[in-house]
Amino acid sequence: MKAYLSDRMGAALLMAPLLLFLGAAYAWPFFGVVNWSFTLPEPGLGQYGTLLSDPLVQSVFVRTLRIAAIVTIVSVAAAYAITLVWVRGTPAQRVIAEFCILVPFWISVLTRAFGWVALLSNRGLFNTWLQAIGFISEPLTLVRNEFGVIVGMTHFLIPFAVFPLASSMRSLDDRVLLAARGLGSSRMRTFWSVFVPMTRSGIIGSALIVFVFSLGFFVTPAILGGGRSVMVAELIYLRIFQSPDWGLGAAISVVLVLFVGTLMALLFRYVRPKQLI
């Protein structure tokens, strides 16, 4: 018993500097933002009342949730296919999949966003090519709207969705799949009825990572949205640095943090943490 308490005490002492650092770096500034939301421009709950009554703020929150949901679905579906090749493909397929997963991490988000602008703009490569082959007569509007934002965010977030899925797939017992095949199940039925349900924890983990990242995305929506598809992070920036309306910007930040915290709490309430490793 003494040895157990001693080990726990030692672990607590080792964790103390990290907890103090996190408190100083994150918690203390966050409490300052909370204070702004209640005191600027005047004390009270006026800024939170604005969140509930201002159509502009409400439309931005709805747009953010809609884009985040679409990006999450598309990213996790694409990541699932890539991860399947990476984990269960031939050696050559695995090398190609690993290359596609890791190379995006070497390119900054800003560079990728401007790359998509070069591809999708009215005079970009994609529209120019479609007009050259006679498929379209007028350029398609693919940027400065929600479509461009979704494309850029999905491209950035797919690699982040791969790793929880890869962990889940690698921990799967192949004997279960062999047993299903031995009982007469087809490859497709084995995949949908056995393989996919057994990787559910990876799907949930990937979806959470992508959705949380999507809620706070700033650079890609600002560039590919062109100010026409403003999301929450950009709205906070506009209220803090351009309006300026620090109180409302702080209130939006607090609501966003609480929403993400609620998502994390629900995840660890209904999904065992070890399932996400």
Side-chain angles (χ1 to χ4, degrees):
M1 186 64 181
K2 289 183 178 180
Y4 174 76
L5 293 176
S6 177
D7 291 341
R8 293 295 297 270
M9 184 63 69
L13 290 175
L14 288 174
M15 291 291 293
L18 176 61
L19 295 176
L20 290 174
F21 171 77
L22 292 176
Y26 295 99
W28 184 255
F30 176 69
F31 288 133
V33 173
V34 173
N35 180 60
W36 289 350
S37 70
F38 286 107
T39 58
L40 297 177
E42 57 186 22
L45 299 173
Q47 300 299 347
Y48 291 96
T50 302
L51 290 179
L52 298 175
S53 60
D54 190 336
L56 174 61
V57 177
Q58 293 175 0
S59 66
V60 170
F61 269 99
V62 171
R63 182 185 301 115
T64 300
L65 292 174
R66 180 175 64 248
I67 291 176
I70 295 172
V71 168
T72 299
I73 294 171
V74 177
S75 297
V76 173
Y80 200 96
I82 295 171
T83 308
L84 191 62
V85 174
W86 187 30
V87 174
R88 309 189 71 84
T90 64
Q93 291 173 337
R94 293 180 184 181
V95 171
I96 295 173
E98 189 168 349
F99 181 81
C100 294
I101 293 167
L102 297 180
V103 165
F105 286 107
W106 305 342
I107 306 172
S108 72
V109 61
L110 191 64
T111 302
R112 280 192 259 183
F114 280 113
W116 280 112
V117 171
L119 286 173
L120 302 178
S121 64
N122 290 346
R123 296 183 179 181
L125 294 177
F126 188 71
N127 273 313
T128 302
W129 177 72
L130 290 179
Q131 288 178 301
I133 63 176
F135 192 79
I136 58 174
S137 58
E138 297 292 332
L140 301 174
T141 305
L142 302 177
V143 292
R144 295 181 177 85
N145 53 27
E146 287 190 17
F147 177 80
V149 173
I150 291 170
V151 170
M153 289 175 60
T154 300
H155 174 248
F156 181 84
L157 291 171
I158 285 176
F160 292 94
V162 165
F163 296 105
L165 290 169
S167 177
S168 180
M169 290 183 186
R170 288 196 174 105
S171 64
L172 192 147
D173 192 345
D174 288 339
R175 292 174 296 182
V176 178
L177 303 179
L178 293 174
R181 295 284 292 152
L183 292 172
S185 177
S186 64
R187 288 183 178 273
M188 189 61 66
R189 186 177 180 183
T190 300
F191 176 76
W192 287 110
S193 300
V194 180
F195 189 86
V196 172
M198 292 184 69
T199 56
R200 178 178 62 91
S201 61
I203 296 173
I204 295 174
S206 294
L208 179 72
I209 290 172
V210 173
F211 190 76
V212 169
F213 276 170
S214 299
L215 291 175
F217 239 76
F218 175 72
V219 174
T220 301
I223 295 174
L224 293 174
R228 299 179 183 178
S229 297
V230 177
M231 295 179 65
V232 169
E234 188 175 357
L235 179 62
I236 295 171
Y237 172 83
L238 293 174
R239 293 298 181 181
I240 295 293
F241 293 102
Q242 294 189 10
S243 295
D245 191 350
W246 286 30
L248 182 57
I252 298 172
S253 302
V254 171
V255 170
L256 182 61
V257 170
L258 292 178
F259 181 72
V260 171
T262 302
L263 288 179
M264 297 294 294
L266 289 175
L267 175 75
F268 287 100
R269 171 67 176 82
Y270 294 104
V271 180
R272 291 177 298 175
K274 67 179 182 180
Q275 287 183 315
L276 302 179
I277 300 174

